[in-house]
Amino acid sequence: LTPGSPYQPVIEALENYPQKKFYNVSKLGGANQLLCFTLDTLPYSIRVLFESSIRNCDGFLVKETDAMNILDWKTKQNDVEVPFCPARVVLQDFTGIPAMVDFAAMREAVRNAGGDPVKVNPACPTDLTVDHSLQIDFSKCAIQNAPNPGGGDSQKPMAKLSPLKAQPRKLPCRGQSGCKGPCSAGDSSRNSGQYSAQIENTPILCPFHLQPVPEPETVLKNQEMEFGRNRERLQFFKWSSKVFKNISIIPPETGMAHQVNLEYLSRVVFEVKDFLYPDSVVGTDSHTTMVNGLGILGWGVGGIESEAVMLGMPVTLTLPEVVGCELTGTASPLATSIDIVLSITKHLRQADVAGKFVEFFGSGVSQLSVADRTTIANMCPEYGAILSFFPVDNVTLKHLKHTGFDKAKLEVMEVYLKAVKLFRNDESSSREPEYSQVVQISLSSIVPYVSGPKRSQDRVAVNNMKSDFQACLNEKSGVKGFQIAAEKQNDVVPVQYEGNEYKLSHGCIVIAAVISCTNNCNPSVMLAAGLLAKKAVEAGLVVKPYIRTSLSPGSGMVTHYLSSSGVLPYLSKLGFEVVGYGCSTCVGNTAPLPEAIRNAIKQGDIIACGVLSGTKNFEGRLCDCVRANYLASPPLVVAYAIAGTVRIDFETEPLGTGFNGKSIYLRDIWPTRRELHTVEEECVISSMFKELKEKMEKGNKRWNLLEAPESTLFPWDLKSTYIRCPSFFDKLAKEPVSPQPIENAHVLLYLGDSVTTDHISPAGSIARSSAAAKYLTNKGLTPREFNSYGARRGNDAVMTRGTFANIKLLNKFIGKPAPKTIHFPSGQTLDVFEVAELYQKEGIPVIILAGKKYGLGSSRDWAAKGPFLLGVKAVLAESYEKVHKSQLIGIGIAPLQFLPGENPSTLGLTGREQFSILFPPELSPGMTLDIKTSTGKAFSVIALFENNMEITLYKYGGSLNFVARRFL
């Protein structure tokens, strides 16, 4: 209960459950029928915001006027800012470790300023999942990459690892009675190998009687490498779990953050001391939105905002428009969830839903399973919406019952949600809410699609794939084109690999990954991949051995049902063997391609392709020599891997030749919906969810044995290259200062349109020639010990050097993709970090010039923290991705926008001028500022502060310093 809340009179007991209490918002106006009518017409997502404002109203952070503004959503949308207090926070380790390092540094700063560091704890329940540290060192039971330990005593044993030789053999089941024969999990195939001890969290089951069999050594070795290279980070997480209250750490190899959030952490309805309220969440992963498929309001925020929420501050947002997406009809049997996702992505991008809520309704909604809904909700960052919400309905309740949800809790949940008008009636006669606009989508019109070759919104119908790729070869270099001369488009490069000759040509596939993102929450699409693999193997089809195939499930549950359904051995036989649990290929953590293949691609300037069942396909993301990347459903990933090329028409051309020389077409091995439904019902059962939840709570042996300090303050190791006390609190003061003018600033970077957070934030492996590599080398590390940027997010020195270090960064000062820029006082062309360092030594502030949609892509806190530590004082762009703009403010960088119709070109700016920006003593939302240049030009820009809270955060030097001052 919020002390002093004016709405306590509407607290009452739940019908038939007198011990359960809740805020009955439908009785807020007593006999006021107008209020009840208003609630009935509000979108369900807005009703969640309204309930939160009533429950958390304290007259300070949340005011009565905020609640009334939300209730008056129809007229106040886009006009007012409202606070939202989520029920919990979810972190993943790439962004979670800098958040926890900031908490540790905040304790240090509060102690140094005379405060009590023990008081620095999350006020909001927080779960941190260690899921982004997996790298694929082992695949197909062989080492794909050299050992890459990250320091500590584990380095020596890790260095002793030697390549494993595949030893095809059948594994007998371990003495169980009634066995029908040896498990085929170890059957002879091009990828089979030794098996070792069972992993505690991820049981693989004999397909004959569903009893555990040994785990592939691939998983064991990757886990051993993960714990070895990340020992310092894991020890820091273990320390955090011991000393901070109200936070839980979910150890490595449990699953990915949004998968764990969906399967384990989600409550749908929160119950604390018999008090009920809706579950809601913000997370440091943009795919936090997946839980909206369960009727849980949630979206991704940056690490900066999440830390503020963890300390009890609300998320402040402009009361959004809500776009109603009406789904009708039924999809084609060949269309999978990812086809539906990509179709909806295209429709909603065209409808311009950026910065808006999307809410689904219509007859087609009840025909989508919760797995389908969560897949659709997971992709909403790709079409720019804040979230995509599916209200709880009978389908949701059936799903929760199916997955082992407590029956008594389900009954309470249904009664409560109906009482507060958060339960959607499936009947067509029920009244639908009123929306800002309605987008209609017929599921019947959806056909199979892939997306690429460079952007997720560029959809290609599978039956047009061959011709579309040909068009990409012809087009000029850009968002789709590769500009290959006509006479070179049919070039073939022969290559020797493992004693055989293969021929590479444009469109050849060299990476095929079913990875832990988007699809793995959906049994139907994963089982479809497995059944397709089964039929392919039985027909005699194979995958070329040089293709980097991998299967990285979102959690042990995925392995569980793939194994129990009997399809996992067939995936393994085609090369899709389980490599571990966590984000891998999608974030660039894949093993290098074989040297012979890399050389052949470079020699022939071949447009090689990657196919993955993920959400990100920016050029160069998977591998620097793989220029075309396509997003596809898991069964299509397997199909394209078998074909070996994207230049194929599945309707008229065979995938390959099977037994007896027979041509096998995709239609011959594509599983029917009836087959999928039967296997799904038999394999995805509540016992699997229950067993895996119990195992998650126990942790795993390596984590349980890991030692960590227990001191109130973290004992920083000055020699550590993983964990370092950041400098964000160096100027911590009790009172804010007025915004200072930015005088005679140089432009650090002059960027174009659609600069993504991938271009800005450090991600993936650390290039040997980079500024970060030089720093680590000076610390005595070898390239094998560099690890990834994600693993070193707790070290601000590494992350600052990795900011703007993306090889695809196109700086107009340089004229070609390279992580370089110009130091104008000296005229030198250097790494971005080196130039920024020179400016800081000279006491010269820097700004960034950019085009449209600056900060596009996933929310990344280091996309703001990195520029801040480089000395960037302001970004001047034509437009911004909303989340990234908020992060800039949250760290203390001013987001400035050109006036409509203006940009550097129209203003005659070259970027080589020096800029002076004047700030008035008092800022106001959306005000204009004056800028003067050293060449005498003057123009105005818009300061993109949307509300008074953002102005307050900017004045305090960002949210971290604002929150830290509360303890002083």
Side-chain angles (χ1 to χ4, degrees), residues 11-140:
I11 296 175
E12 63 178 48
L14 189 66
E15 184 180 1
N16 299 325
Y17 300 91
Q19 76 280 14
K20 310 288 185 186
K21 308 294 182 183
F22 73 105
Y23 278 93
N24 192 345
V25 294
S26 64
K27 293 186 177 181
L28 187 59
N32 189 337
Q33 296 299 315
L34 180 60
L35 173 63
C36 294
F37 175 79
T38 302
L39 279 174
D40 287 338
T41 60
L42 282 180
Y44 289 92
S45 52
I46 299 300
R47 297 179 200 183
V48 177
L49 294 182
F50 181 59
E51 191 281 340
S52 174
S53 67
I54 294 297
R55 178 167 38 87
N56 292 287
C57 184
D58 62 356
F60 176 59
L61 293 174
V62 183
K63 302 175 183 177
E64 287 186 70
T65 53
D66 295 322
M68 292 303 101
N69 283 337
I70 296 173
L71 185 62
D72 193 21
W73 166 81
K74 189 173 182 180
T75 60
K76 295 293 180 65
Q77 55 185 292
N78 281 337
D79 289 337
V80 297
E81 58 191 56
V82 294
F84 175 58
C85 299
R88 55 191 174 91
V89 177
V90 172
L91 309 174
Q92 45 92 340
D93 58 319
F94 267 21
T95 48
I97 191 165
M100 297 314 300
V101 167
D102 289 345
F103 264 72
M106 191 182 297
R107 280 196 165 195
E108 195 94 17
V110 168
R111 191 277 308 268
N112 293 340
D116 183 0
V118 176
K119 293 181 179 179
V120 181
N121 289 293
C124 183
T126 302
D127 300 284
L128 190 156
T129 303
V130 185
D131 71 332
H132 275 51
S133 57
L134 173 68
Q135 294 190 38
I136 306 175
D137 298 283
F138 297 84
S139 175
K140 311 171 189 176

Side-chain angles (χ1 to χ4, degrees), residues 560-631:
H560 203 84
Y561 65 67
L562 288 177
S563 180
S564 63
S565 64
V567 300
L568 194 60
Y570 298 97
L571 285 164
S572 178
K573 200 156 191 172
L574 291 179
F576 294 93
E577 184 169 286
V578 176
V579 296
Y581 301 87
C583 290
S584 51
T585 307
C586 199
V587 292
N589 288 349
T590 191
L593 296 177
E595 194 68 25
I597 303 300
R598 289 176 63 93
N599 291 340
I601 292 173
K602 292 179 179 179
Q603 172 192 335
D605 193 24
I606 297 296
I607 306 299
C609 299
V611 185
L612 64 153
S613 60
T615 63
K616 297 292 189 300
N617 59 335
F618 300 124
E619 185 177 1
R621 185 181 178 100
L622 306 189
C623 178
D624 59 0
C625 63
V626 179
R627 294 159 62 184
N629 298 301
Y630 288 91
L631 308 181

